[in-house]
Amino acid sequence: MAGELNGRRVAILAADGVERVELEQPRKALDDAGARTEVLSIHDGEIAARNNDLEDAGTFGVDRLVGAASMDEYDALLLPGGTVNPDQLRMNPTAVSFVRNFVESGKPVASICHGPWNFVEADVARGRRLTSFPSVRTDLRNAGAEVVDEEVVTDGNITTSRSPDDLPAFCARILQEFAGASQPDAELGALASGSEGDADLDPVAELGQGSGQVRHLDGGRIAQHGRHQPTGG
């Protein structure tokens, strides 16, 4: 497992009230696999953590303000839960835009427990197969999601789980999904080397720069992903 995520940068977006284990355990799994994780928030300094929403559980240091961060700097996004945490994030337009842009980019995004509330505010739940803490599910359905009761669900680039009880399965899945995240610098180099002798191939254009879409190499071909389209129905 060590080194599986070398070179991957993972943003962890959280605010005061974050459930401690839902940030701490996935972050440790990512760090142990070689990822570089950063906590982004809506204020600097530290954010207050909780156990079971009610008990004080110390703090986490904030690495950067979400308003000073760019989606392009990261390969994946983690959205932990805690009731108060996503409630604060969904009231912050900059945080909402960050989540929306990340999902629409096609890069992997993972969220657990109350964290999927962020998808409702960002209007990216529609047509998605998601799970969450039970109290969030009506909001997800009203936002157009297909809601299921499973320990871990991956639909396209979004992975969700229900509660801290699902953390073992959630951590294992996000390692798998984040390891598959494309890295633009590597893609650009691959495209450039593959374009020798073809003067018409523009690696930057092939990556869809500025188009709001993400393309990745797939068996020598370039696959393109835009906004998720539901399959069926």
Side-chain angles (χ1 to χ4, degrees), residues 10-224:
V10 180
I12 304 173
L13 181 58
D16 290 318
V18 65
E19 188 72 14
R20 185 171 192 92
V21 293
E22 293 173 8
L23 191 159
E24 193 170 59
Q25 287 190 25
R27 187 181 200 182
K28 183 178 187 302
L30 292 167
D31 288 344
D32 287 350
R36 293 180 292 162
T37 58
E38 290 186 343
V39 173
L40 310 184
S41 194
I42 54 179
H43 66 76
D44 57 12
E46 297 180 330
I47 54 174
R50 293 287 183 270
N51 285 332
N52 300 314
D53 277 330
L54 301 176
E55 303 169 7
D56 177 34
T59 61
F60 290 102
V62 173
D63 296 305
R64 300 179 70 184
L65 292 175
V66 65
S70 168
M71 178 201 70
D72 296 333
E73 299 175 88
Y74 300 96
D75 301 298
L77 173 63
L78 173 65
L79 298 166
T83 306
V84 175
N85 163 43
D87 193 59
Q88 291 199 53
L89 293 176
R90 67 195 301 213
M91 295 296 291
N92 185 282
T94 302
V96 172
S97 294
F98 191 83
V99 172
R100 180 186 302 114
N101 292 340
F102 227 105
V103 172
E104 292 182 346
S105 77
K107 295 179 180 181
V109 180
S111 189
I112 186 169
C113 203
H114 291 79
W117 243 342
N118 289 286
F119 301 140
V120 174
E121 200 67 33
D123 193 23
V124 292
R126 191 172 309 280
R128 294 287 194 164
R129 188 170 183 267
L130 305 171
T131 194
S132 71
F133 194 75
S135 65
V136 179
R137 294 176 188 170
T138 296
D139 287 347
L140 290 173
R141 289 191 188 97
N142 289 341
E146 175 193 351
V147 179
V148 296
D149 184 12
E150 299 175 15
E151 65 177 1
V152 62
V153 177
T154 298
D155 182 5
N157 63 322
I158 298 180
T159 295
T160 50
S161 281
R162 302 169 298 188
S163 74
D165 291 340
D166 298 329
L167 276 167
F170 180 73
C171 290
R173 182 68 60 84
I174 66 174
L175 291 182
Q176 174 184 334
E177 294 299 316
F178 289 9
S182 60
Q183 293 181 292
D185 290 343
E187 282 190 357
L188 188 59
L191 283 167
S193 63
S195 67
E196 293 178 4
D198 186 352
D200 295 329
L201 181 60
D202 181 348
V204 175
E206 290 298 319
L207 282 173
Q209 184 170 346
S211 67
Q213 297 171 320
V214 171
R215 301 183 181 189
H216 62 82
L217 294 176
D218 180 11
R221 301 182 302 277
I222 296 175
Q224 181 172 333

